[in-house]
Amino acid sequence: MEAEQVLALGLGVTAPWRLVSQHLDTEKHPHELHLRLEADRGALFACPVCGRACKAHDFSEFRWRHLNFFQHHCYIAARVPRTECPEHGVKRITVPWARDGSGFTLLFEQVALMLAREMPVQVAARHMAITDHRLWRIIRHYVGQALERLDLSEVKAVALDETAAKRGHTYVTIFIDLERKARPVVFATPGKGKETVARFKDFLTAHHGQPGRIAEVVCDMSPAFLAALGESFPRASVTVDWFHVVQIFTRAVDDVRKAEARQVKMPSAVRWAVLKAKERTLTPKQAAALWPNWKTVEC
Ligand SMILES: [Zn+2]
């Protein structure tokens, strides 16, 4: 088997396309492998609108970055035809190895997306040797495509919570579908105020959901959220997340302890002794701080 056949096999090129030349450019660092694909002379191509086999009207040169060939960057070049369909006129075809308008092959994009799922985009971009700007464009395309298919017509119970992004005071509010077992996150938006609830309502409506169908919402006790939910989802009963209730009680107990400590000096172990009193796992020091007559029994 010749080298070109091996490469063609690896690329998965099918008729009428075939690999006609390969060239390793050692002047560049890292080295670049350039592959040229060509369609058989006189081949017919499917009209991108109706699929009818049509003659080529004309050709234009295109180039795509492909997955590395060992440590060398790899590029594919080809002259891509426009078909002349009697019904739809002159249209550029989509080649089988890349999507329209992309400077990368489908395989390259697939690997880039896989990496971006596992690590920060900037790190993934470095591994793929492209700018993070270009990787973001790939991600936005596929995420946008997936979002277009998202069907929220069955959603009737959601939970929302804000989380800090990028370590600081930048917040993102996340909305999850409480009945969706796999990939429950259905919407995420910058901010943590009432505008996030209004944005979710618009998003839900744009994806076949009905605000009037939402019967249950779980959230924290933020007054902004509670007021906005009443406006956007008037039929939903709101449940406050137990984690936030416990958090508020814990803070209140601690405030009382601090206020009392200012009046009467207390042992330092009192703080955790009060917070853990119900758990029965106090250290001897904590127990003694709560009950001065408590004695450690040595076994
Ligand atoms: Zn057509």
Side-chain angles (χ1 to χ4, degrees):
M1 195 180 270
E2 284 179 17
E4 270 163 21
Q5 280 176 293
V6 175
L7 283 170
L9 210 64
L11 286 173
V13 180
T14 50
W17 296 97
R18 58 199 165 79
L19 183 67
V20 291
S21 75
Q22 36 133 329
H23 161 69
L24 186 66
D25 185 348
T26 51
E27 303 277 297
K28 298 265 174 60
H29 291 280
H31 296 174
E32 290 179 357
L33 176 67
H34 291 269
L35 306 175
R36 173 158 286 280
L37 300 181
E38 228 173 66
D40 292 330
R41 194 175 281 272
L44 298 179
F45 300 91
C47 158
V49 182
C50 65
R52 183 202 298 247
C54 305
K55 273 197 203 149
H57 176 264
D58 56 8
F59 291 83
S60 287
E61 180 75 12
F62 285 84
R63 193 173 86 142
W64 303 265
R65 170 87 187 273
H66 188 49
L67 289 175
N68 283 5
F69 179 73
F70 295 99
Q71 71 274 37
H72 314 308
H73 287 184
C74 179
Y75 293 88
I76 293 177
R79 291 169 65 241
V80 180
R82 288 194 300 171
T83 49
E84 192 170 8
C85 172
E87 199 176 332
H88 301 103
V90 177
K91 300 259 179 222
R92 176 88 51 212
I93 69 151
T94 306
V95 291
W97 57 87
R99 67 182 166 88
D100 258 355
S102 172
F104 302 103
T105 62
L106 292 171
L107 261 176
F108 185 97
E109 291 188 333
Q110 202 181 345
V111 172
L113 282 179
M114 236 160 56
L115 289 185
R117 260 204 297 264
E118 305 295 331
M119 58 187 76
V121 168
Q122 222 165 7
V123 181
R126 209 163 47 228
H127 279 296
M128 301 302 291
I130 55 173
T131 62
D132 59 335
H133 176 74
R134 294 191 84 185
L135 180 50
W136 273 117
R137 269 179 55 188
I138 297 175
I139 295 170
R140 282 198 196 99
H141 171 81
Y142 287 100
V143 170
Q145 211 175 45
L147 280 179
E148 263 174 39
R149 291 194 301 264
L150 188 65
D151 177 9
L152 300 180
S153 57
E154 297 297 318
V155 177
K156 50 183 190 288
V158 293
L160 61 128
D161 201 3
E162 83 268 0
T163 182
K166 293 185 196 163
R167 253 185 254 150
H169 292 288
T170 315
Y171 287 90
V172 175
T173 300
I174 313 276
F175 293 76
I176 66 168
D177 176 355
L178 287 171
E179 290 178 349
R180 202 178 277 245
K181 296 241 170 9
R183 300 182 181 173
V185 174
V186 289
F187 185 61
T189 184
K192 59 167 187 167
K194 62 183 291 187
E195 72 282 1
T196 63
V197 176
R199 269 184 236 141
F200 174 62
K201 183 186 172 186
D202 292 344
F203 183 82
L204 183 75
T205 314
H207 292 86
H208 320 293
Q210 296 165 41
R213 241 182 91 94
I214 303 295
E216 194 189 344
V217 179
V218 178
C219 66
D220 67 15
M221 290 171 85
S222 137
F225 279 155
L226 294 175
L229 287 169
E231 282 169 28
S232 293
F233 304 102
R235 295 185 61 192
S237 55
V238 176
T239 307
V240 171
D241 185 347
W242 68 269
F243 170 81
H244 293 98
V245 178
V246 171
Q247 196 181 39
I248 285 168
F249 268 104
T250 309
R251 273 194 206 132
V253 168
D254 206 38
D255 287 345
V256 171
R257 179 194 61 80
K258 280 184 202 151
E260 287 185 351
R262 274 195 289 274
Q263 289 165 8
V264 186
K265 181 81 189 128
M266 284 192 252
S268 60
V270 160
R271 183 180 174 208
W272 286 106
V274 169
L275 294 174
K276 288 170 61 186
K278 289 277 280 177
E279 294 176 18
R280 296 165 192 258
T281 53
L282 302 188
T283 63
K285 224 173 158 186
Q286 289 167 351
L290 268 196
W291 306 292
N293 296 327
W294 192 87
K295 296 233 170 12
T296 314
V297 181
E298 300 285 342
C299 299

